[in-house]
C-alpha cells in the first residue's frame, strides 16, 4: 500500500484560515460619507481615467482620518486620490509637521501629495480669516494645476456646531447660522455628520499619530473659546446633545437660506432697472423701484437690497446698514445717502430730481458706487 505523499498520518495539514481585520464601524461610516458626497457631486467612480480627488490635510486628526478613509477608494481604483498640505508658517516647526504629514499620506498610497508654503498677512483682517484666505488660494491653485475634480475638507459636526454658535454671537442672519455648506463648488465636506471623536478613533485604529494644532486651545481665538469652554459648559448645564442639535438647526436653516436666496435672486433680476442714459459718470448705478420693494416680505426685501450692493461690487451689508436702507422706503426721514461697505451709497431721489446727469427717478432707490479713479 502506497502512502499519499500529501498526507501525514491520517489527516491532511491545511493552512490556517486568514483572519480578516474587523472593519472599524466609524471608519465604515466615514467611507460611506465620502462615497455619498462624491456621488451627490456627480463624480462617478471608475473608468479609464477615474476622477482625481484631493484631500486638504493639515496633519490633524480630522483631515488625517479623512485621508485614511479616502485612501480606500484609491486602492479599489474608484478614484485617484491625492492631497494638499498647506504650511501656514505660523508656528515653530510647521515645516517639519507638513513633511511628516506628507510622508503619512504617501504611506497611505495617496498621490500626488503637494506641500504648499503660504504667507499669512498680518494686517487687513483677523488672523483666522487671513489664514483661511491664503489656504483656499493655495488649494485653488492646486486644483487648477492638477485638474482635480474635487477637494475634500475634514470639517466635522463639532466644527459645524461651533460655526453656528459663532454666528449667533455675531447676530448673523439665516445664511450665517446655516453654517458651512456641505458643497461649495469643488469643495466637499463629507464629515459634517460625523463627530470629532470618530476621527480620533479612526486615527488610533490606523496607527496614525495626528498633529494637534495648539491654536485650537488658544483662548485668544473666539472659536477656541467656543470649543473648549462654551460648548462643554452648555453640555454640562443643558445636557448632552447640544452639538447635534446645533447641527440639525444648521441643516434646516441651510435649506431655508437656499430657497430664500434663490427666490431673492430672481426677484432682484426682475426689479432691477438700468439708470437713465448719461447717468453714472462718476461710477456705476442701478435702480430698484420702491413700491414693489415695499410689497416684498422682509426676508426677501433685505436680500434684494443686499444683492443690489453686491451687484455693484460692494460687500454684504450688515443688518444695521440694511435697516437704514429700508428706512428710505418709508419716506419719513432723510432721502439719504446711506453708506454701505465698498463705496456703495443708496439714496431716494426726490420728486422731480434726476439721477446724476440723467432723467427723473422718483419712486426708485438709487444704488451708486463711486469710481475708484
Amino acid at each position: 500500500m502506497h502512502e499519499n505523499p500529501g498526507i501525514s498520518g491520517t489527516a491532511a495539514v491545511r493552512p490556517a484560515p486568514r483572519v480578516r481585520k474587523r472593519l472599524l464601524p466609524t471608519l465604515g461610516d466615514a467611507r460611506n460619507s465620502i462615497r455619498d458626497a462624491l456621488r451627490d457631486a456627480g463624480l462617478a467612480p471608475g473608468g479609464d481615467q477615474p476622477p482625481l480627488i484631493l484631500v486638504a490635510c493639515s496633519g490633524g486628526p480630522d483631515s488625517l482620518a479623512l485621508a485614511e478613509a479616502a485612501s480606500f477608494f484609491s486602492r479599489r481604483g474608484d478614484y485617484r486620490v491625492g492631497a494638499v498640505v498647506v504650511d501656514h508658517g505660523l508656528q515653530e516647526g510647521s515645516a517639519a509637521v507638513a513633511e511628516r504629514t506628507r510622508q503619512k499620506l504617501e504611506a497611505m498610497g495617496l498621490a500626488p501629495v503637494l506641500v504648499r508654503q503660504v504667507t499669512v498677512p498680518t494686517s487687513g483682517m483677523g488672523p483666522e480669516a487671513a489664514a483661511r484666505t491664503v489656504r483656499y488660494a493655495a488649494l485653488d491653485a492646486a486644483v487648477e494645476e492638477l485638474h482635480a475634480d474635487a477637494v475634500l475638507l475634514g470639517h466635522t459636526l463639532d466644527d459645524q456646531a461651533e460655526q453656528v454658535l459663532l454666528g449667533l454671537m455675531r447676530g448673523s442672519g439665516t445664511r450665517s447660522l446655516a453654517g458651512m455648506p456641505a458643497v461649495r463648488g469643488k469643495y466637499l465636506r463629507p464629515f459634517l455628520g460625523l463627530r470629532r471623536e470618530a476621527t480620533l478613533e479612526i486615527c488610533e485604529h490606523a496607527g496614525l499619530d495626528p498633529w494637534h494644532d495648539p491654536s485650537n486651545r488658544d483662548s485668544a481665538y473666539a472659536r477656541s473659546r467656543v470649543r473648549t469652554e462654551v460648548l462643554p459648559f452648555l453640555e454640562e448645564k443643558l445636557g448632552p446633545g447640544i452639538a447635534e442639535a446645533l447641527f440639525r438647526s444648521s441643516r434646516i436653516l441651510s435649506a431655508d437660506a437656499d430657497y430664500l436666496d434663490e427666490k431673492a435672486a430672481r426677484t432682484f433680476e426682475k426689479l432691477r432697472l438700468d439708470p437713465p442714459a448719461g447717468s453714472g459718470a462718476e461710477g456705476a448705478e442701478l435702480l430698484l423701484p420702491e413700491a414693489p420693494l415695499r410689497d416684498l416680505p422682509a426676508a426677501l426685501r433685505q436680500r434684494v437690497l443686499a444683492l443690489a450692493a453686491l451687484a455693484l461690487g460692494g460687500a454684504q451689508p450688515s443688518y444695521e446698514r440694511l435697516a437704514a436702507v429700508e428706512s428710505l422706503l418709508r419716506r419719513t426721514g432723510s432721502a439719504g445717502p446711506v453708506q454701505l461697505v465698498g463705496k456703495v451709497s443708496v439714496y431716494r431721489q426726490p420728486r422731480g430730481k434726476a439721477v446724476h446727469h440723467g432723467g427723473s427717478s422718483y419712486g426708485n432707490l438709487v444704488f451708486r458706487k463711486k469710481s475708484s479713479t
Side-chain angles (χ1 to χ4, degrees):
M1 182 175 180
H2 298 286
E3 184 176 353
N4 189 326
I7 299 177
S8 175
T10 58
V13 178
R14 300 189 179 188
R18 183 179 179 183
V19 178
R20 295 187 62 184
K21 190 175 182 180
R22 179 176 174 269
L23 176 66
L24 183 72
T26 49
L27 180 55
D29 292 341
R31 290 175 179 176
N32 290 338
S33 297
I34 293 173
R35 181 202 60 203
D36 293 345
L38 293 173
R39 179 200 61 204
D40 293 345
L43 297 173
D48 296 335
Q49 184 79 341
L52 174 60
I53 311 302
L54 298 178
V55 178
C57 190
S58 67
D62 299 345
S63 57
L64 269 186
L66 180 65
E68 172 66 20
S71 69
F72 169 75
F73 300 99
S74 176
R75 293 191 297 272
R76 291 208 323 185
D78 292 342
Y79 299 95
R80 293 173 294 144
V81 182
V84 182
V85 182
V86 179
D87 174 16
H88 298 84
L90 295 175
Q91 294 155 355
E92 185 177 353
S94 64
V97 171
E99 175 59 22
R100 288 195 297 271
T101 301
R102 181 190 65 79
Q103 294 173 4
K104 292 173 185 176
L105 295 169
E106 290 181 345
M108 294 177 191
L110 272 60
V113 178
L114 306 181
V115 176
R116 293 290 184 260
Q117 281 82 27
V118 297
T119 300
V120 179
T122 56
S123 62
M125 62 184 81
E128 291 176 283
R132 182 169 57 250
T133 298
V134 296
R135 179 168 60 252
Y136 278 105
L139 293 173
D140 288 342
V143 168
E144 184 175 354
E145 175 185 341
L146 299 173
H147 305 288
D149 297 284
V151 178
L152 304 183
L153 303 175
H155 298 110
T156 65
L157 183 150
D158 298 79
D159 294 309
Q160 189 73 303
E162 294 161 11
Q163 188 74 11
V164 174
L165 276 180
L166 288 168
L168 284 169
M169 291 161 53
R170 290 190 295 264
S172 303
T174 308
R175 175 53 66 192
S176 181
L177 296 181
M180 296 173 285
V183 180
R184 182 177 64 82
K186 290 190 175 184
Y187 290 93
L188 311 179
R189 294 184 172 93
F191 278 11
L192 283 182
L194 271 65
R195 293 300 305 263
R196 186 171 291 134
E197 289 86 348
T199 67
L200 292 167
E201 188 177 359
I202 291 170
C203 287
E204 182 179 0
H205 175 79
L208 300 170
D209 182 20
W211 171 67
H212 295 276
D213 186 349
S215 68
N216 287 335
R217 306 192 70 82
D218 187 344
S219 60
Y221 299 106
R223 180 178 291 277
S224 298
R225 295 196 298 274
V226 168
R227 175 175 299 183
T228 61
E229 300 174 27
V230 177
L231 268 173
F233 176 81
L234 292 175
E235 293 273 355
E236 177 188 350
K237 298 301 182 182
L238 301 178
I242 296 298
E244 289 87 351
L246 290 168
F247 171 71
R248 288 194 301 272
S249 296
S250 75
R251 294 290 296 270
I252 295 168
L253 290 169
S254 178
D256 291 349
D258 288 344
Y259 171 77
L260 288 169
D261 288 348
E262 181 182 351
K263 193 170 182 62
R266 292 199 303 267
T267 303
F268 170 66
E269 290 302 327
K270 180 180 178 181
L271 295 182
R272 175 178 182 169
L273 300 172
D274 293 328
S279 67
E282 297 180 7
E285 290 181 348
L286 66 83
L287 313 179
L288 289 177
E290 294 180 40
L293 280 174
R294 291 193 197 96
D295 292 338
L296 292 177
L300 277 182
R301 183 170 58 248
Q302 291 177 1
R303 282 171 165 80
V304 169
L305 295 173
L307 286 173
L310 293 171
L312 293 179
Q316 173 67 35
S318 67
Y319 171 80
E320 290 77 13
R321 292 290 82 197
L322 286 175
V325 175
E326 286 196 295
S327 70
L328 299 177
L329 293 172
R330 293 193 288 271
R331 288 192 165 266
T332 56
S334 169
V338 172
Q339 300 296 334
L340 305 180
V341 178
K343 298 183 179 179
V344 175
S345 59
V346 190
Y347 58 95
R348 186 183 70 236
Q349 199 72 7
R351 186 184 299 275
K353 298 293 184 180
V355 182
H356 183 68
H357 296 312
S360 174
S361 64
Y362 181 75
N364 295 315
L365 287 186
V366 181
F367 288 73
R368 181 163 171 245
K369 180 173 182 178
K370 293 181 179 180
S371 174
S372 58
T373 58

